[in-house]
Amino acid sequence: MADKGVGQQSAPVDTCGLAGLAGLHHNLTAPALYEHAIARGEGDIAAGGALVVETGVHTGRSPKDKFVVVDETTHDTVWWDNTASMTPEAFARLHADMREHVRGMTLYAQDLYGGADPDERISVRVFTEYAWHSLFIRNLLIRPDASELAGFDPEMTIIDLPSFKADPERHGCRTETVIACDFTRKIVLIAGTSYAGEMKKSVFSLLNFLLPGRDVMPMHCSANVGADGDSAVFFGLSGTGKTTLSADPSRTLVGDDEHGWGPDGIFNFEGGCYAKTIKLSAEAEPEIFSTTQRFGTVLENVVMDPVTRTVDFDDGSKTENTRCAYPIEFISNASETGRAPHPKNIIMLTADAFGVLPPIAKLTPAQAMYHFLSGYTAKVAGTEKGVTEPQATFSTCFGAPFMPRHPSEYGNLLRELIARHEVDCWLVNTGWTSGAYGTGYRMPIRATRALLGAALDGSLREAECRTDPHFGFAVPVAVPGVDSTILDPRSTWADPIAYDRQAARLVEMFVANFAKFEEHVDGTVLAAAPTLAAAAE
């Protein structure tokens, strides 16, 4: 669609109350957005053609600055223990002040979809202050074709203004940064942060609120599908390999981060991918690496040589959370539809830095719900300021910041779908073996891929298994192409007694974390939990 400045539009655009603009560039494509971004000093072009930008002080999301408006729609449906609230009056003041702030400014707008299933998607209009933010969200959401744009009617509106600084006293927020969500009016206001990921996660959060009411399961997961239509879902927190493991050249990529599971199968919420690039290499991850050498990709916070314009993905001096944002079609084996049949397998990924969990385990439906509600992984030293030893992280549903309803709603819906479609569920540890972080080593990616392959092709279903004494799940005894020793983590430790102590410690963490869910689940799920007694034996 052509560049349309104020006074040049062929049809009026609903600006959600934004008035007095000096210009509005509506649905610009990547080449035009490059021109605007470069002219405005927002970024530079790297060798290969990617647009290199910086996000300023915020190099990641600001979850403590996210708020949901309390009203009749949300009062009894949002999980307020996990969600900060904002009054309708404070939201109205913030909205009015942001509208006043944009007078005389030039903004960008994109009309996009969240959701590849036409029956479940939401239409979104995104207003941004930066040209590169407009390119980012154009890459990440689903781009309508020309016929759909002609009569586009947005259900959701996002206003993204990094230069606006919120007033905590006036706007009912915590700092000058705010992400305010009105689920009833479907408006999201983002201010005081240049981190573009807040926009895509806002769409995810709204869909996570809306879809369970339609018996559709929203999932923070990647997904791929085999030649026979055997789709697989990969749950996992950041750093567990969700994007890497789903980008399997032998399978079609459905999406790398956000999906729904509805009556007709699974569907991507997005039209692009947002992959970590720290330590990225062509040898280890060729599919993702190739996208960083293309025109249209946005590279966030990577270090670039000012003369050669080559980027150094090993340099984390700006942040460890360096990212690339690209249209999903940049992956050669990506799905053209963003849709796939009901999954045959669900993979729950964890990076266990304590070196306790096996590389793969078969879960019963009750165990799957337990581990889904737990959402365990571990941070390691050096990844965040102040982290000097492994720290357990439990993010329920593998995405607590984006799940506005109570976790039991998502957990029960997932459990029902697993049972209805007879899905095999697996827990896969991509973390440490032969000891905890600092003593052991990272699980070999070759072994992880071999184990996943056996799970996805069905051969692992019939493998001989032992029962893990601490967690109760089934662990294969032998898998072709995989060193059997690695399947029993205790045997990989130089000191088995030290392993037992570490396992007991991890069990205690699981039990303490799950206490808040005990009244919301039935006895079968409680029976699937690890126990301190088992760990002590």
Side-chain angles (χ1 to χ4, degrees):
M1 196 168 182
D3 179 351
K4 294 181 178 180
V6 167
Q8 297 176 302
Q9 296 173 13
S10 58
V13 176
D14 181 358
T15 59
C16 197
L18 303 177
L21 299 176
L24 177 62
H25 301 293
H26 191 204
N27 288 328
L28 296 190
T29 57
L33 289 169
Y34 261 66
E35 291 173 354
H36 282 254
I38 298 302
R40 291 157 57 104
E42 295 178 4
D44 296 292
I45 301 176
L51 182 66
V52 178
V53 298
E54 294 189 9
T55 63
V57 64
H58 293 287
T59 57
R61 292 181 301 101
S62 301
K64 293 182 180 179
D65 293 311
K66 182 177 180 180
F67 298 83
V68 172
V69 173
V70 183
D71 57 20
E72 290 185 3
T73 303
T74 61
H75 186 273
D76 297 323
T77 52
V78 166
W79 184 33
W80 295 111
D81 290 349
N82 187 60
T83 308
S85 63
M86 178 178 283
T87 66
E89 295 77 16
F91 185 91
R93 288 192 294 270
L94 177 63
H95 193 185
D97 291 348
M98 290 177 71
R99 293 199 302 267
E100 186 64 29
H101 180 76
V102 302
R103 289 185 178 275
M105 293 176 61
T106 296
L107 298 183
Y108 298 83
Q110 291 286 337
D111 293 336
L112 303 159
Y113 291 128
D117 186 336
D119 294 330
E120 309 297 348
R121 72 189 181 194
I122 188 168
S123 55
V124 189
R125 179 163 290 155
V126 186
F127 294 94
T128 64
E129 180 178 352
Y130 296 160
W132 82 260
H133 273 199
S134 194
L135 176 60
F136 173 95
I137 200 64
R138 181 179 175 83
N139 282 352
L140 265 295
L141 294 184
I142 296 171
R143 296 159 293 284
D145 60 32
S147 64
E148 293 171 313
L149 285 174
F152 193 86
D153 182 20
E155 302 167 70
M156 179 184 186
T157 302
I158 298 174
I159 302 174
D160 172 52
L161 304 177
S163 67
F164 182 88
K165 306 301 181 186
D167 179 343
E169 185 173 349
R170 176 171 170 77
H171 301 130
C173 52
R174 191 180 69 97
T175 67
E176 291 183 339
T177 297
V178 64
I179 302 94
C181 307
D182 184 330
F183 286 164
T184 299
R185 297 167 62 202
K186 301 182 178 64
I187 299 173
V188 175
L189 307 175
I190 302 172
T193 174
S194 297
Y195 185 69
E198 299 287 11
M199 292 183 288
K200 86 179 208 90
K201 289 303 184 185
S202 295
V203 177
F204 188 33
S205 295
L206 180 59
L207 286 170
N208 286 351
F209 178 75
L210 297 174
L211 291 180
R214 308 177 196 167
D215 289 328
V216 176
M217 176 67 188
M219 304 177 291
H220 183 214
C221 69
S222 58
N224 62 26
V225 61
D228 296 329
D230 54 316
S231 65
V233 165
F234 298 76
F235 288 104
L237 300 172
S238 180
T240 59
K242 180 163 55 74
T243 297
T244 298
L245 293 171
S246 59
D248 182 338
S250 67
R251 296 171 63 84
T252 297
L253 177 68
V254 181
D256 83 325
D257 197 37
E258 300 164 1
H259 293 79
W261 187 356
D264 299 322
I266 59 174
F267 59 97
N268 195 356
F269 285 173
E270 301 182 294
C273 301
Y274 193 33
K276 280 194 168 185
T277 60
I278 194 69
K279 310 297 184 186
L280 182 67
S281 70
E283 294 73 28
E285 300 176 81
E287 294 84 9
I288 297 173
F289 183 86
S290 69
T291 71
T292 68
Q293 311 301 304
R294 291 190 59 167
F295 179 90
T297 293
V298 177
L299 295 178
E300 288 183 347
N301 300 315
V302 300
V303 174
M304 181 178 71
D305 186 295
V307 177
T308 66
R309 299 295 183 94
T310 57
V311 296
D312 183 358
F313 292 125
D314 292 330
D315 190 334
S317 58
K318 293 180 181 179
T319 176
E320 291 284 315
N321 192 36
T322 54
R323 296 267 183 169
C324 59
Y326 52 89
I328 196 168
E329 60 264 26
F330 282 13
I331 298 291
S332 60
N333 63 322
S335 168
E336 294 182 359
T337 65
R339 303 175 68 180
H342 297 289
K344 298 287 188 183
N345 290 277
I346 288 177
I347 313 296
M348 297 185 185
L349 299 167
T350 181
D352 176 28
F354 297 96
V356 170
L357 296 179
I360 196 166
K362 181 76 163 58
L363 304 177
T364 66
Q367 289 170 337
M369 184 172 176
Y370 180 89
H371 285 278
F372 178 73
L373 291 178
S374 296
Y376 165 70
T377 192
K379 299 174 183 176
V380 298
T383 57
E384 289 188 10
K385 184 177 180 181
V387 179
T388 57
E389 61 179 17
Q391 291 185 1
T393 296
F394 293 93
S395 185
T396 186
C397 307
F398 293 98
F402 326 118
M403 301 294 181
R405 293 179 180 267
H406 193 277
S408 61
E409 288 194 50
Y410 304 107
N412 284 320
L413 185 53
L414 180 66
R415 185 179 179 186
E416 291 169 10
L417 286 165
I418 289 170
R420 187 185 311 163
H421 299 288
E422 300 180 338
V423 184
D424 287 332
C425 299
W426 310 88
L427 184 70
V428 172
N429 175 24
T430 61
W432 273 257
T433 185
S434 301
Y437 174 84
T439 301
Y441 57 89
R442 194 76 189 251
M443 199 71 68
I445 186 68
R446 185 186 300 272
T448 300
R449 290 193 183 281
L451 292 168
L452 275 178
L456 297 181
D457 69 20
S459 61
L460 201 56
R461 186 184 306 150
E462 306 304 324
E464 179 187 355
C465 292
R466 64 178 178 85
T467 299
D468 185 272
H470 307 293
F471 287 85
F473 40 49
V475 181
V477 174
V479 177
V482 177
D483 180 1
S484 297
T485 304
I486 206 172
L487 296 172
D488 180 6
R490 188 176 190 269
S491 69
T492 67
W493 281 52
D495 182 353
I497 302 303
Y499 170 85
D500 293 338
R501 288 194 297 266
Q502 188 83 309
R505 181 184 173 200
L506 185 58
V507 167
E508 289 175 352
M509 295 177 192
F510 267 87
V511 171
N513 171 73
F514 204 80
K516 59 182 175 286
F517 300 127
E518 289 182 353
E519 63 181 286
H520 300 284
V521 300
D522 63 29
T524 60
V525 177
L526 292 177
T531 64
L532 295 175
E537 291 177 0

